[in-house]
Amino acid sequence: MNFTEILDKLKAGHEVLESKEDLGVLNAWVAPKKIRDVIGFLKDDMHFNQLSFVTAVDLPITNNIEVVYRLFSYETKDNVVIKVKLDRVKPEIETITGIFATANWHERETAEMFGMKFINHPDPNKLLLPDGIEAPLRKDFTCADMVPLPKA
């Protein structure tokens, strides 16, 4: 399938807020409340049977955290990227662990690194960081141990 075919099938049953093609891969933004429906549709109906990763991007200028899901289809050899914009103040989104078991670790790492919450996650405990370190991948992260780099 190409970018347009994937987008048309996705739009036939789901609201796509925005979309673009990037190196032949569909990037589609959907509403946070629809993430489980969209990911489930991609897996069950369009055969995107591998969750490659879940991550996030901190966008302080727009006051958003963008959650990024990349899926792959072994059947068609296609990739698709689904993105969701969350409020940076209270970034919360429903877990997709019931759809892809591998989301468990991806979501835990993303939650920890960006200070967000995956609602109804089966194991929301910290995965990597020691106590006292919160959201180190946010642009405004500070820590007492940080040493500023010299200016060039």
Side-chain angles (χ1 to χ4, degrees), residues 47-50 72-78:
H47 311 289
F48 283 92
N49 41 18
Q50 180 190 340
F72 177 75
S73 169
Y74 286 104
E75 185 175 305
T76 64
K77 307 298 186 237
D78 291 308

Side-chain angles (χ1 to χ4, degrees), residues 18 20 27-30 54-60 62-69 81-88 91 93 110 114 116 118:
E18 182 182 339
K20 73 173 189 173
N27 286 247
W29 284 261
V30 300
V54 177
T55 191
V57 179
D58 183 20
L59 303 167
T62 59
N63 203 34
N64 293 115
I65 291 199
E66 194 171 75
V67 185
V68 181
Y69 303 83
V81 175
I82 302 298
K83 299 181 180 185
V84 177
K85 291 182 182 178
L86 303 177
D87 180 8
R88 196 170 182 269
I93 191 165
T110 302
F114 290 92
M116 55 180 294
F118 286 90

